[in-house]
Amino acid sequence: MIRVRVPATCANLGPGFDALGLAFNIYNTVEVQKIHSGLIIEGCDKKYKNENNLVYTSMNKVFQLANYKPSGIKINIKSNIKESSGLGSSSSCIVAGVFAANEIANSRLTKVELMDLAVKIEGHPDNVIPAIYGGLIISMIDEGKIYFKKISIDKKIKFYILTSDLQKCSTKELRKSLPKYILLKDGVFNLSHSLMLVEALRDGDFDLIEASSKDRFHEPFRKKNIKGYDEIYKKAMECGAKALVISGAGPALLGIFNDGNIDEFKNYLHGLENSWDIKKCDVDDVGVIVENNI
């Protein structure tokens, strides 16, 4: 049996739209084994227990490249990453699938080749690459080639992930709410802020984190899908947050703190009409882990 563990990821981090991603210690664990025949999928909603399951379709991409045909496959999904929450659930399934299949097929695809394939399946690298390599990742695609750099983060920065029971939409659907064109001044704003945010996270410069985490590309449009966002943001700042950004397309939020009144903020969230949970998370600096012959 193959076991693959993949961390949750937070994309964008405010101004780094489709370019920044950060991995956290919330995991999707997928166990895969060959069986005599057929397809068995366990541990997920009934609607995903079929050949369209994202883990399985991602595995098939590797099987095709390896010219390998399994007699049958059993998949058991144990995920703590909520679907369509903004925490990279689809990326975690894709990464788990391609890495598991590579082991099963005795394929010689390298980690970089598996990354390339996973990005092609997902369509963008901001969640996939930190899921594979862990930590804070800057990524880009130029003429079809993927480039990325892993950036160290100051250890004194504290991250809190906020999740809710708000109605969830797919990233593809939420992208439809974004403008097709960006004003030059907003492009300059996001470019400068994303560059500064990377340095602020590296140095642990909390004043700079607060100033540089603002966005004009996607958050003004996506926050409309998060009930009470402006009030939650205001309260977070009052309680000592240095930033509160939408994780991916949302509705999950990421709070960045140094010190602050976290208990007061938790009590505020628990008193809202929509149920919100807040959890302190550590950065996962390892990324995907594959275990064989479990």
Side-chain angles (χ1 to χ4, degrees):
M1 183 175 72
I2 311 297
R3 180 182 293 145
V4 184
R5 191 188 76 173
V6 188
T9 48
C10 171
N12 306 322
L13 303 180
F17 182 68
D18 277 8
L20 290 180
L22 181 58
F24 289 102
N25 64 334
I26 302 172
Y27 299 103
N28 181 359
T29 301
V30 175
E31 296 174 345
V32 180
Q33 62 187 101
K34 292 184 286 187
I35 56 176
H36 181 68
S37 64
L39 173 64
I40 299 172
I41 302 177
E42 300 176 339
C44 61
D45 193 279
K46 184 178 180 180
K47 63 184 177 181
Y48 299 121
K49 294 180 178 181
N50 54 60
E51 292 183 350
N52 295 318
N53 180 282
L54 189 54
V55 175
Y56 183 68
T57 57
S58 300
M59 292 179 69
N60 278 330
K61 298 290 185 181
V62 175
F63 291 153
Q64 290 166 14
L65 289 173
N67 195 26
Y68 177 85
K69 277 192 171 184
S71 56
I73 291 290
K74 180 179 179 181
I75 300 170
N76 187 16
I77 301 170
K78 303 175 181 178
S79 183
N80 290 313
I81 307 173
K82 293 182 179 180
E83 177 192 358
S84 299
S85 62
L87 294 173
S89 61
S90 62
S91 291
S92 72
C93 289
I94 292 167
V95 170
V98 298
F99 275 81
N102 197 51
E103 288 291 316
I104 286 178
N106 296 315
S107 179
R108 296 183 179 179
L109 291 179
T110 66
K111 195 172 187 178
V112 171
E113 289 170 332
L114 291 170
M115 176 197 73
D116 287 342
L117 178 58
V119 170
K120 286 177 183 176
I121 297 170
E122 174 76 346
H124 42 89
D126 51 351
N127 286 113
V128 167
I129 302 180
I132 293 173
Y133 290 95
L136 174 63
I137 300 287
I138 308 173
S139 59
M140 71 176 195
I141 300 177
D142 182 68
E143 296 184 355
K145 184 176 180 181
I146 301 167
Y147 297 86
F148 70 94
K149 288 291 183 181
K150 188 171 182 177
I151 308 298
S152 60
I153 300 175
D154 191 281
K155 299 296 184 184
K156 64 177 175 283
I157 299 175
K158 300 171 185 175
F159 295 99
Y160 288 82
I161 289 179
L162 288 67
T163 55
S164 76
D165 60 359
L166 290 169
Q167 183 176 357
K168 301 172 179 64
C169 296
S170 70
T171 300
K172 183 182 291 186
E173 287 298 315
L174 288 171
R175 277 183 180 267
K176 294 178 182 178
S177 68
L178 303 182
K180 292 183 178 180
Y181 302 99
I182 298 292
L183 294 173
L184 177 61
K185 65 178 182 178
D186 292 336
V188 172
F189 181 95
N190 266 56
L191 175 62
S192 60
H193 280 63
S194 59
L195 291 170
M196 282 293 190
L197 179 61
V198 169
E199 290 304 309
L201 292 170
R202 191 204 309 266
D203 296 339
D205 187 332
F206 288 101
D207 289 338
L208 189 55
I209 289 172
E210 185 171 359
S212 63
S213 60
K214 301 177 179 69
D215 166 80
R216 291 183 182 176
F217 278 10
H218 68 108
E219 289 198 344
F221 311 98
R222 285 174 167 168
K223 73 178 185 179
K224 298 173 185 176
N225 297 305
I226 303 174
K227 187 175 181 180
Y229 174 85
D230 288 333
E231 291 77 16
I232 293 171
Y233 180 91
K234 181 180 178 182
K235 186 64 177 182
M237 297 301 112
E238 290 174 358
C239 291
K242 296 303 179 181
L244 185 73
V245 299
I246 299 173
S247 179
L253 306 174
L254 176 67
I256 301 177
F257 286 78
N258 176 13
D259 293 309
N261 195 337
I262 299 297
D263 288 337
E264 181 182 343
F265 189 43
K266 285 181 180 178
N267 290 335
Y268 166 79
L269 290 173
H270 292 161
L272 294 178
E273 179 182 349
N274 294 99
S275 177
W276 282 89
D277 291 322
I278 179 171
K279 178 182 180 181
K280 185 178 184 297
C281 289
D282 295 324
V283 173
D284 179 294
D285 206 41
V286 176
V288 62
I289 294 177
V290 181
E291 299 174 275
N292 204 337
N293 297 320
I294 299 300

Short mmCIF file of all heavy atoms in Angstrom, two decimals, residues 47-107:
data_model
loop_
_atom_site.label_atom_id
_atom_site.label_comp_id
_atom_site.label_asym_id
_atom_site.label_seq_id
_atom_site.Cartn_x
_atom_site.Cartn_y
_atom_site.Cartn_z
N LYS A 47 -20.72 11.12 -4.05
CA LYS A 47 -20.64 11.66 -5.42
C LYS A 47 -19.23 11.60 -5.99
O LYS A 47 -19.05 11.76 -7.21
CB LYS A 47 -21.15 13.11 -5.45
CG LYS A 47 -20.34 14.09 -4.63
CD LYS A 47 -20.97 15.48 -4.66
CE LYS A 47 -20.22 16.46 -3.79
NZ LYS A 47 -20.84 17.81 -3.78
N TYR A 48 -18.22 11.37 -5.13
CA TYR A 48 -16.84 11.27 -5.60
C TYR A 48 -16.34 9.83 -5.70
O TYR A 48 -15.18 9.61 -6.05
CB TYR A 48 -15.92 12.07 -4.67
CG TYR A 48 -16.25 13.55 -4.62
CD1 TYR A 48 -16.57 14.16 -3.42
CD2 TYR A 48 -16.24 14.32 -5.77
CE1 TYR A 48 -16.90 15.51 -3.37
CE2 TYR A 48 -16.55 15.67 -5.74
CZ TYR A 48 -16.88 16.26 -4.53
OH TYR A 48 -17.21 17.60 -4.50
N LYS A 49 -17.19 8.88 -5.39
CA LYS A 49 -16.77 7.47 -5.39
C LYS A 49 -16.96 6.85 -6.77
O LYS A 49 -17.71 5.89 -6.95
CB LYS A 49 -17.53 6.69 -4.32
CG LYS A 49 -17.20 7.13 -2.90
CD LYS A 49 -17.97 6.32 -1.87
CE LYS A 49 -17.59 6.74 -0.45
NZ LYS A 49 -18.31 5.96 0.58
N ASN A 50 -16.27 7.42 -7.75
CA ASN A 50 -16.41 6.94 -9.12
C ASN A 50 -15.15 7.32 -9.91
O ASN A 50 -14.20 7.90 -9.36
CB ASN A 50 -17.66 7.53 -9.77
CG ASN A 50 -17.70 9.05 -9.68
OD1 ASN A 50 -16.81 9.73 -10.18
ND2 ASN A 50 -18.73 9.58 -9.03
N GLU A 51 -15.17 7.05 -11.21
CA GLU A 51 -13.99 7.26 -12.05
C GLU A 51 -13.66 8.73 -12.28
O GLU A 51 -12.60 9.04 -12.83
CB GLU A 51 -14.19 6.55 -13.39
CG GLU A 51 -14.20 5.03 -13.27
CD GLU A 51 -14.32 4.34 -14.62
OE1 GLU A 51 -14.60 5.05 -15.63
OE2 GLU A 51 -14.14 3.12 -14.68
N ASN A 52 -14.56 9.62 -11.86
CA ASN A 52 -14.29 11.05 -11.99
C ASN A 52 -13.62 11.64 -10.75
O ASN A 52 -13.37 12.85 -10.70
CB ASN A 52 -15.59 11.81 -12.28
CG ASN A 52 -16.19 11.43 -13.61
OD1 ASN A 52 -15.47 11.29 -14.60
ND2 ASN A 52 -17.50 11.25 -13.65
N ASN A 53 -13.36 10.81 -9.77
CA ASN A 53 -12.67 11.26 -8.55
C ASN A 53 -11.33 11.89 -8.94
O ASN A 53 -10.57 11.34 -9.73
CB ASN A 53 -12.45 10.07 -7.61
CG ASN A 53 -11.75 10.47 -6.34
OD1 ASN A 53 -10.54 10.65 -6.33
ND2 ASN A 53 -12.50 10.59 -5.27
N LEU A 54 -11.03 13.07 -8.36
CA LEU A 54 -9.85 13.82 -8.77
C LEU A 54 -8.55 13.10 -8.45
O LEU A 54 -7.58 13.19 -9.22
CB LEU A 54 -9.87 15.21 -8.10
CG LEU A 54 -8.82 16.22 -8.56
CD1 LEU A 54 -8.84 16.41 -10.07
CD2 LEU A 54 -9.04 17.56 -7.86
N VAL A 55 -8.50 12.36 -7.35
CA VAL A 55 -7.31 11.56 -7.05
C VAL A 55 -7.10 10.53 -8.16
O VAL A 55 -5.99 10.37 -8.69
CB VAL A 55 -7.43 10.86 -5.69
CG1 VAL A 55 -6.24 9.93 -5.46
CG2 VAL A 55 -7.52 11.88 -4.56
N TYR A 56 -8.19 9.85 -8.53
CA TYR A 56 -8.10 8.78 -9.52
C TYR A 56 -7.78 9.31 -10.92
O TYR A 56 -6.93 8.75 -11.63
CB TYR A 56 -9.41 7.99 -9.55
CG TYR A 56 -9.40 6.83 -10.50
CD1 TYR A 56 -8.59 5.72 -10.26
CD2 TYR A 56 -10.20 6.82 -11.64
CE1 TYR A 56 -8.56 4.65 -11.13
CE2 TYR A 56 -10.19 5.74 -12.51
CZ TYR A 56 -9.36 4.67 -12.25
OH TYR A 56 -9.33 3.60 -13.12
N THR A 57 -8.43 10.39 -11.33
CA THR A 57 -8.14 10.94 -12.66
C THR A 57 -6.70 11.46 -12.74
O THR A 57 -6.06 11.36 -13.79
CB THR A 57 -9.11 12.08 -13.02
OG1 THR A 57 -9.05 13.12 -12.03
CG2 THR A 57 -10.54 11.55 -13.12
N SER A 58 -6.19 11.98 -11.63
CA SER A 58 -4.79 12.43 -11.60
C SER A 58 -3.84 11.24 -11.68
O SER A 58 -2.80 11.31 -12.35
CB SER A 58 -4.53 13.24 -10.32
OG SER A 58 -5.37 14.38 -10.26
N MET A 59 -4.19 10.15 -11.01
CA MET A 59 -3.39 8.93 -11.11
C MET A 59 -3.31 8.44 -12.56
O MET A 59 -2.24 8.04 -13.04
CB MET A 59 -3.98 7.83 -10.22
CG MET A 59 -3.88 8.08 -8.73
SD MET A 59 -4.64 6.76 -7.75
CE MET A 59 -3.48 5.43 -8.07
N ASN A 60 -4.44 8.51 -13.24
CA ASN A 60 -4.48 8.01 -14.62
C ASN A 60 -3.57 8.79 -15.55
O ASN A 60 -3.07 8.24 -16.54
CB ASN A 60 -5.92 8.03 -15.14
CG ASN A 60 -6.70 6.81 -14.71
OD1 ASN A 60 -6.14 5.73 -14.52
ND2 ASN A 60 -8.00 6.96 -14.53
N LYS A 61 -3.34 10.07 -15.25
CA LYS A 61 -2.41 10.86 -16.07
C LYS A 61 -1.01 10.27 -16.00
O LYS A 61 -0.29 10.20 -17.01
CB LYS A 61 -2.39 12.31 -15.58
CG LYS A 61 -3.70 13.05 -15.69
CD LYS A 61 -4.08 13.35 -17.12
CE LYS A 61 -5.33 14.19 -17.19
NZ LYS A 61 -5.75 14.48 -18.59
N VAL A 62 -0.61 9.82 -14.81
CA VAL A 62 0.70 9.19 -14.64
C VAL A 62 0.72 7.82 -15.30
O VAL A 62 1.69 7.44 -15.97
CB VAL A 62 1.08 9.10 -13.15
CG1 VAL A 62 2.40 8.33 -12.97
CG2 VAL A 62 1.20 10.49 -12.53
N PHE A 63 -0.34 7.05 -15.10
CA PHE A 63 -0.41 5.71 -15.70
C PHE A 63 -0.27 5.79 -17.22
O PHE A 63 0.40 4.95 -17.84
CB PHE A 63 -1.73 5.03 -15.34
CG PHE A 63 -1.86 4.65 -13.89
CD1 PHE A 63 -3.12 4.57 -13.29
CD2 PHE A 63 -0.74 4.38 -13.11
CE1 PHE A 63 -3.25 4.21 -11.97
CE2 PHE A 63 -0.87 4.03 -11.77
CZ PHE A 63 -2.12 3.94 -11.20
N GLN A 64 -0.87 6.81 -17.83
CA GLN A 64 -0.77 6.98 -19.28
C GLN A 64 0.67 7.26 -19.70
O GLN A 64 1.17 6.70 -20.68
CB GLN A 64 -1.70 8.10 -19.73
CG GLN A 64 -3.18 7.77 -19.63
CD GLN A 64 -4.08 8.98 -19.76
OE1 GLN A 64 -3.64 10.05 -20.17
NE2 GLN A 64 -5.35 8.82 -19.40
N LEU A 65 1.32 8.14 -18.94
CA LEU A 65 2.72 8.48 -19.26
C LEU A 65 3.64 7.28 -19.07
O LEU A 65 4.62 7.10 -19.80
CB LEU A 65 3.19 9.64 -18.37
CG LEU A 65 2.59 11.03 -18.66
CD1 LEU A 65 3.03 12.02 -17.60
CD2 LEU A 65 3.01 11.51 -20.05
N ALA A 66 3.32 6.46 -18.07
CA ALA A 66 4.16 5.29 -17.76
C ALA A 66 3.77 4.06 -18.57
O ALA A 66 4.40 3.01 -18.43
CB ALA A 66 4.07 4.98 -16.26
N ASN A 67 2.72 4.19 -19.37
CA ASN A 67 2.21 3.05 -20.15
C ASN A 67 1.91 1.87 -19.22
O ASN A 67 2.32 0.73 -19.45
CB ASN A 67 3.20 2.64 -21.24
CG ASN A 67 2.56 1.72 -22.27
OD1 ASN A 67 1.35 1.75 -22.48
ND2 ASN A 67 3.38 0.90 -22.90
N TYR A 68 1.18 2.17 -18.16
CA TYR A 68 0.90 1.18 -17.11
C TYR A 68 -0.61 1.05 -16.93
O TYR A 68 -1.33 2.05 -16.87
CB TYR A 68 1.55 1.64 -15.80
CG TYR A 68 1.29 0.73 -14.62
CD1 TYR A 68 2.09 -0.38 -14.39
CD2 TYR A 68 0.25 1.00 -13.73
CE1 TYR A 68 1.85 -1.21 -13.29
CE2 TYR A 68 0.00 0.18 -12.63
CZ TYR A 68 0.82 -0.93 -12.43
OH TYR A 68 0.58 -1.75 -11.36
N LYS A 69 -1.09 -0.18 -16.84
CA LYS A 69 -2.51 -0.43 -16.63
C LYS A 69 -2.69 -1.31 -15.39
O LYS A 69 -2.41 -2.50 -15.43
CB LYS A 69 -3.13 -1.12 -17.85
CG LYS A 69 -3.53 -0.17 -18.95
CD LYS A 69 -4.40 -0.90 -19.97
CE LYS A 69 -4.99 0.11 -20.95
NZ LYS A 69 -5.92 -0.55 -21.89
N PRO A 70 -3.17 -0.71 -14.29
CA PRO A 70 -3.40 -1.52 -13.10
C PRO A 70 -4.63 -2.40 -13.27
O PRO A 70 -5.59 -2.01 -13.95
CB PRO A 70 -3.62 -0.47 -12.00
CG PRO A 70 -4.18 0.71 -12.73
CD PRO A 70 -3.52 0.71 -14.08
N SER A 71 -4.61 -3.57 -12.67
CA SER A 71 -5.78 -4.46 -12.75
C SER A 71 -6.95 -3.86 -11.98
O SER A 71 -8.11 -3.98 -12.38
CB SER A 71 -5.43 -5.83 -12.18
OG SER A 71 -4.94 -5.71 -10.86
N GLY A 72 -6.66 -3.23 -10.89
CA GLY A 72 -7.68 -2.57 -10.08
C GLY A 72 -7.02 -1.67 -9.05
O GLY A 72 -5.84 -1.85 -8.71
N ILE A 73 -7.76 -0.68 -8.56
CA ILE A 73 -7.22 0.29 -7.61
C ILE A 73 -8.21 0.52 -6.47
O ILE A 73 -9.42 0.66 -6.69
CB ILE A 73 -6.94 1.65 -8.30
CG1 ILE A 73 -5.78 1.54 -9.29
CG2 ILE A 73 -6.65 2.74 -7.26
CD1 ILE A 73 -4.42 1.35 -8.64
N LYS A 74 -7.67 0.56 -5.24
CA LYS A 74 -8.46 0.95 -4.08
C LYS A 74 -7.86 2.23 -3.50
O LYS A 74 -6.65 2.31 -3.28
CB LYS A 74 -8.46 -0.14 -3.01
CG LYS A 74 -9.27 0.22 -1.77
CD LYS A 74 -9.28 -0.90 -0.73
CE LYS A 74 -10.08 -0.51 0.49
NZ LYS A 74 -10.07 -1.59 1.52
N ILE A 75 -8.72 3.23 -3.26
CA ILE A 75 -8.28 4.52 -2.75
C ILE A 75 -9.03 4.82 -1.46
O ILE A 75 -10.27 4.71 -1.42
CB ILE A 75 -8.55 5.65 -3.77
CG1 ILE A 75 -7.81 5.39 -5.08
CG2 ILE A 75 -8.15 7.01 -3.19
CD1 ILE A 75 -8.21 6.33 -6.20
N ASN A 76 -8.31 5.17 -0.42
CA ASN A 76 -8.93 5.58 0.85
C ASN A 76 -8.46 7.00 1.17
O ASN A 76 -7.26 7.23 1.32
CB ASN A 76 -8.54 4.61 1.97
CG ASN A 76 -9.30 4.90 3.26
OD1 ASN A 76 -10.29 5.62 3.26
ND2 ASN A 76 -8.82 4.37 4.37
N ILE A 77 -9.41 7.92 1.24
CA ILE A 77 -9.09 9.33 1.45
C ILE A 77 -9.41 9.73 2.89
O ILE A 77 -10.54 9.55 3.36
CB ILE A 77 -9.88 10.22 0.47
CG1 ILE A 77 -9.54 9.82 -0.98
CG2 ILE A 77 -9.58 11.69 0.71
CD1 ILE A 77 -10.44 10.46 -2.00
N LYS A 78 -8.42 10.27 3.57
CA LYS A 78 -8.61 10.75 4.95
C LYS A 78 -8.17 12.22 4.97
O LYS A 78 -7.00 12.52 5.20
CB LYS A 78 -7.77 9.93 5.93
CG LYS A 78 -8.06 8.44 5.89
CD LYS A 78 -7.11 7.67 6.79
CE LYS A 78 -7.37 6.17 6.74
NZ LYS A 78 -6.42 5.41 7.58
N SER A 79 -9.13 13.11 4.71
CA SER A 79 -8.77 14.51 4.53
C SER A 79 -9.31 15.40 5.63
O SER A 79 -10.48 15.30 6.02
CB SER A 79 -9.28 15.02 3.18
OG SER A 79 -8.87 16.35 2.98
N ASN A 80 -8.46 16.29 6.11
CA ASN A 80 -8.85 17.34 7.04
C ASN A 80 -8.93 18.69 6.33
O ASN A 80 -9.06 19.73 6.98
CB ASN A 80 -7.84 17.43 8.20
CG ASN A 80 -7.93 16.23 9.12
OD1 ASN A 80 -9.02 15.82 9.53
ND2 ASN A 80 -6.79 15.64 9.44
N ILE A 81 -8.83 18.66 5.01
CA ILE A 81 -8.92 19.89 4.21
C ILE A 81 -10.33 19.96 3.64
O ILE A 81 -10.72 19.13 2.82
CB ILE A 81 -7.89 19.91 3.07
CG1 ILE A 81 -6.48 19.66 3.62
CG2 ILE A 81 -7.94 21.24 2.34
CD1 ILE A 81 -5.42 19.50 2.53
N LYS A 82 -11.09 20.93 4.07
CA LYS A 82 -12.47 21.05 3.62
C LYS A 82 -12.54 21.36 2.13
O LYS A 82 -11.78 22.19 1.63
CB LYS A 82 -13.20 22.13 4.42
CG LYS A 82 -13.39 21.79 5.89
CD LYS A 82 -14.17 22.88 6.60
CE LYS A 82 -14.38 22.55 8.08
NZ LYS A 82 -15.15 23.61 8.77
N GLU A 83 -13.48 20.73 1.46
CA GLU A 83 -13.69 20.94 0.03
C GLU A 83 -14.13 22.38 -0.24
O GLU A 83 -14.94 22.95 0.49
CB GLU A 83 -14.76 19.98 -0.47
CG GLU A 83 -15.13 20.15 -1.93
CD GLU A 83 -16.38 19.38 -2.28
OE1 GLU A 83 -16.93 18.68 -1.41
OE2 GLU A 83 -16.81 19.51 -3.45
N SER A 84 -13.57 22.98 -1.31
CA SER A 84 -13.94 24.33 -1.75
C SER A 84 -13.89 25.35 -0.62
O SER A 84 -14.72 26.24 -0.53
CB SER A 84 -15.35 24.32 -2.38
OG SER A 84 -15.39 23.48 -3.50
N SER A 85 -12.88 25.22 0.23
CA SER A 85 -12.75 26.12 1.37
C SER A 85 -11.72 27.22 1.14
O SER A 85 -11.63 28.18 1.91
CB SER A 85 -12.34 25.33 2.62
OG SER A 85 -11.07 24.71 2.43
N GLY A 86 -10.92 27.07 0.08
CA GLY A 86 -9.84 28.02 -0.13
C GLY A 86 -8.52 27.55 0.44
O GLY A 86 -7.57 28.33 0.55
N LEU A 87 -8.45 26.26 0.81
CA LEU A 87 -7.24 25.73 1.43
C LEU A 87 -6.57 24.65 0.56
O LEU A 87 -5.84 23.80 1.06
CB LEU A 87 -7.56 25.15 2.82
CG LEU A 87 -8.01 26.20 3.85
CD1 LEU A 87 -8.48 25.52 5.13
CD2 LEU A 87 -6.89 27.18 4.16
N GLY A 88 -6.83 24.70 -0.74
CA GLY A 88 -6.10 23.83 -1.65
C GLY A 88 -6.54 22.38 -1.64
O GLY A 88 -5.72 21.48 -1.86
N SER A 89 -7.83 22.13 -1.44
CA SER A 89 -8.29 20.73 -1.39
C SER A 89 -8.09 20.02 -2.74
O SER A 89 -7.66 18.87 -2.78
CB SER A 89 -9.76 20.67 -0.98
OG SER A 89 -10.59 21.35 -1.90
N SER A 90 -8.38 20.72 -3.83
CA SER A 90 -8.21 20.08 -5.14
C SER A 90 -6.74 19.82 -5.44
O SER A 90 -6.37 18.75 -5.94
CB SER A 90 -8.83 20.93 -6.25
OG SER A 90 -8.21 22.19 -6.35
N SER A 91 -5.88 20.78 -5.09
CA SER A 91 -4.44 20.57 -5.30
C SER A 91 -3.93 19.40 -4.50
O SER A 91 -3.09 18.62 -4.97
CB SER A 91 -3.67 21.84 -4.92
OG SER A 91 -3.91 22.87 -5.83
N SER A 92 -4.42 19.24 -3.27
CA SER A 92 -3.96 18.13 -2.43
C SER A 92 -4.35 16.79 -3.04
O SER A 92 -3.59 15.82 -2.99
CB SER A 92 -4.51 18.26 -1.01
OG SER A 92 -5.89 17.97 -0.94
N CYS A 93 -5.53 16.72 -3.66
CA CYS A 93 -5.97 15.48 -4.32
C CYS A 93 -5.14 15.19 -5.56
O CYS A 93 -4.75 14.04 -5.82
CB CYS A 93 -7.45 15.58 -4.69
SG CYS A 93 -8.57 15.54 -3.30
N ILE A 94 -4.86 16.24 -6.33
CA ILE A 94 -4.05 16.07 -7.54
C ILE A 94 -2.64 15.60 -7.18
O ILE A 94 -2.11 14.65 -7.77
CB ILE A 94 -3.99 17.39 -8.33
CG1 ILE A 94 -5.37 17.72 -8.90
CG2 ILE A 94 -2.95 17.31 -9.45
CD1 ILE A 94 -5.50 19.13 -9.42
N VAL A 95 -2.03 16.26 -6.22
CA VAL A 95 -0.67 15.91 -5.80
C VAL A 95 -0.64 14.49 -5.26
O VAL A 95 0.25 13.69 -5.60
CB VAL A 95 -0.13 16.92 -4.76
CG1 VAL A 95 1.18 16.42 -4.15
CG2 VAL A 95 0.07 18.29 -5.41
N ALA A 96 -1.61 14.15 -4.42
CA ALA A 96 -1.66 12.78 -3.87
C ALA A 96 -1.79 11.76 -4.99
O ALA A 96 -1.12 10.72 -4.98
CB ALA A 96 -2.83 12.66 -2.90
N GLY A 97 -2.62 12.06 -5.97
CA GLY A 97 -2.84 11.12 -7.06
C GLY A 97 -1.61 10.88 -7.91
O GLY A 97 -1.25 9.73 -8.18
N VAL A 98 -0.93 11.95 -8.32
CA VAL A 98 0.22 11.76 -9.21
C VAL A 98 1.39 11.11 -8.49
O VAL A 98 2.10 10.27 -9.06
CB VAL A 98 0.65 13.09 -9.88
CG1 VAL A 98 -0.46 13.64 -10.75
CG2 VAL A 98 1.11 14.12 -8.88
N PHE A 99 1.59 11.44 -7.22
CA PHE A 99 2.71 10.84 -6.48
C PHE A 99 2.42 9.38 -6.14
O PHE A 99 3.33 8.53 -6.20
CB PHE A 99 3.02 11.64 -5.21
CG PHE A 99 3.93 12.80 -5.45
CD1 PHE A 99 3.45 14.00 -5.96
CD2 PHE A 99 5.29 12.71 -5.20
CE1 PHE A 99 4.29 15.07 -6.20
CE2 PHE A 99 6.15 13.78 -5.43
CZ PHE A 99 5.64 14.96 -5.94
N ALA A 100 1.17 9.05 -5.81
CA ALA A 100 0.82 7.65 -5.53
C ALA A 100 0.96 6.81 -6.79
O ALA A 100 1.53 5.71 -6.75
CB ALA A 100 -0.61 7.57 -5.00
N ALA A 101 0.47 7.32 -7.91
CA ALA A 101 0.54 6.56 -9.16
C ALA A 101 1.98 6.34 -9.59
O ALA A 101 2.32 5.28 -10.14
CB ALA A 101 -0.23 7.30 -10.25
N ASN A 102 2.82 7.32 -9.36
CA ASN A 102 4.23 7.19 -9.73
C ASN A 102 4.89 6.04 -8.98
O ASN A 102 5.73 5.31 -9.52
CB ASN A 102 4.96 8.50 -9.45
CG ASN A 102 6.30 8.58 -10.16
OD1 ASN A 102 6.39 8.36 -11.36
ND2 ASN A 102 7.35 8.93 -9.42
N GLU A 103 4.49 5.85 -7.73
CA GLU A 103 5.02 4.73 -6.93
C GLU A 103 4.45 3.40 -7.43
O GLU A 103 5.19 2.43 -7.60
CB GLU A 103 4.66 4.93 -5.46
CG GLU A 103 5.44 6.03 -4.76
CD GLU A 103 6.90 5.69 -4.57
OE1 GLU A 103 7.20 4.54 -4.17
OE2 GLU A 103 7.74 6.57 -4.82
N ILE A 104 3.16 3.36 -7.63
CA ILE A 104 2.51 2.11 -8.04
C ILE A 104 3.04 1.61 -9.38
O ILE A 104 3.26 0.41 -9.59
CB ILE A 104 0.99 2.29 -8.10
CG1 ILE A 104 0.42 2.36 -6.68
CG2 ILE A 104 0.32 1.15 -8.87
CD1 ILE A 104 -1.06 2.59 -6.61
N ALA A 105 3.24 2.55 -10.31
CA ALA A 105 3.67 2.17 -11.66
C ALA A 105 5.17 2.00 -11.78
O ALA A 105 5.67 1.73 -12.88
CB ALA A 105 3.19 3.23 -12.65
N ASN A 106 5.88 2.12 -10.64
CA ASN A 106 7.34 2.05 -10.67
C ASN A 106 7.90 3.01 -11.73
O ASN A 106 8.86 2.69 -12.44
CB ASN A 106 7.83 0.63 -10.95
CG ASN A 106 7.44 -0.33 -9.84
OD1 ASN A 106 7.59 0.00 -8.67
ND2 ASN A 106 6.94 -1.49 -10.21
N SER A 107 7.25 4.16 -11.83
CA SER A 107 7.64 5.13 -12.84
C SER A 107 8.90 5.86 -12.42
O SER A 107 9.23 5.95 -11.23
CB SER A 107 6.50 6.13 -13.07
OG SER A 107 6.86 7.08 -14.03
#
